[in-house]
Amino acid sequence: LERQLLMQNQMRERQTAMQIAWTREFLKYFGTFFGLAAVGLTAGAIKKKNPGVLLPIVPLSFILAYQYDMGYGTLLQRMKG
């Protein structure tokens, strides 16, 4: 029984490590997308003189912050607690 618990704990730690690794990899691509989108939307807002064009940056920034917290922050520790 003790050995089973150790194995389960080890598998859970591996799954968590894989989740963090996946999140960090996703963050690289999403961060690039966010940067390009922010530059493009800012240029579009200036060109059209309409600040409403910048609106999509708000939800994208929340997604970026969540992914950063998951990969490099303390989100998983807070979830466990």
Side-chain angles (χ1 to χ4, degrees):
L1 182 64
E2 185 176 335
R3 187 173 174 159
Q4 269 185 332
L5 290 175
L6 287 173
M7 289 287 281
Q8 284 178 348
N9 204 16
Q10 191 177 41
M11 287 299 292
R12 192 175 308 119
E13 288 176 4
R14 286 181 184 176
Q15 285 177 335
T16 303
M18 281 294 290
Q19 187 176 11
I20 291 171
W22 184 89
T23 300
R24 288 180 179 177
E25 191 67 25
F26 176 78
L27 187 60
K28 290 177 191 175
Y29 293 105
F30 188 77
T32 303
F33 166 74
F34 179 80
L36 292 173
V39 169
L41 290 172
T42 302
I46 292 171
K47 186 176 181 181
K48 293 186 177 191
K49 297 181 181 173
N50 180 7
V53 175
L54 293 172
L55 205 57
I57 290 179
V58 175
L60 291 176
S61 65
F62 279 104
I63 295 169
L64 183 68
Y66 176 82
Q67 293 296 329
Y68 181 83
D69 193 28
M70 179 79 116
Y72 294 101
T74 59
L75 180 66
L76 288 176
Q77 285 79 23
R78 290 194 314 262
M79 287 171 63
K80 286 179 185 178

